[in-house]
Amino acid sequence: QVQLVESGGGLVQAGGSLTLSCAASRTIFRFSAMGWYRQAPGKQRQLVATITSGGSTNYADSVKGRFTISRDNAKNTVYLQMNSLKPEDTAVYYCNADDSGAHYWGQGTQVTVSS
């Protein structure tokens, strides 16, 4: 098992930036993938970005060119750098660890983008 703790959320104006962090309680090196998901009120949780153990990344079309996912294995931490934020990015953001099909989730961190 692993515990995931997100941080870095907050309230920003449109066009601003935030960096989210996901700290794991143990090494993330052997996980198949780590990722970020988000969920707005009344909507399903959706994929934002993923990064595999080999370093391959994948992004939702809505965030390509604006968000960057990265991983620091030494710190057991995954990051999501969010630039040029839009009001539609407002959601609770969740960290996810994919342990060969077994998923673990953090508690979520709120991101609110105002106009």
Side-chain angles (χ1 to χ4, degrees):
Q1 294 184 349
V2 61
Q3 294 178 343
L4 305 174
V5 180
E6 302 98 332
S7 62
L11 173 64
V12 298
Q13 292 183 330
S17 298
L18 284 173
T19 299
L20 306 182
S21 298
C22 172
S25 60
R26 67 173 181 85
T27 181
I28 62 173
F29 182 78
R30 298 176 66 182
F31 287 133
S32 297
M34 301 288 294
W36 288 95
Y37 291 70
R38 66 187 182 187
Q39 187 169 24
K43 304 187 71 174
Q44 290 186 315
R45 190 172 300 183
Q46 63 181 171
L47 173 70
V48 176
T50 60
I51 184 167
T52 68
S53 60
S56 298
T57 58
N58 184 56
Y59 298 92
D61 288 341
S62 59
V63 306
K64 284 182 179 178
R66 300 188 298 120
F67 291 10
T68 302
I69 188 171
S70 61
R71 184 181 67 204
D72 188 333
N73 290 334
K75 296 182 178 180
N76 296 332
T77 301
V78 175
Y79 303 95
L80 185 68
Q81 175 66 49
M82 305 184 294
N83 299 321
S84 302
L85 284 162
K86 304 175 181 179
E88 51 262 45
D89 295 319
T90 296
V92 177
Y93 284 70
Y94 296 91
C95 183
N96 170 263
D98 181 3
D99 186 10
S100 298
H103 289 259
Y104 300 89
W105 297 93
Q107 82 288 347
T109 185
Q110 177 71 48
V111 172
T112 303
V113 184
S114 65
S115 300

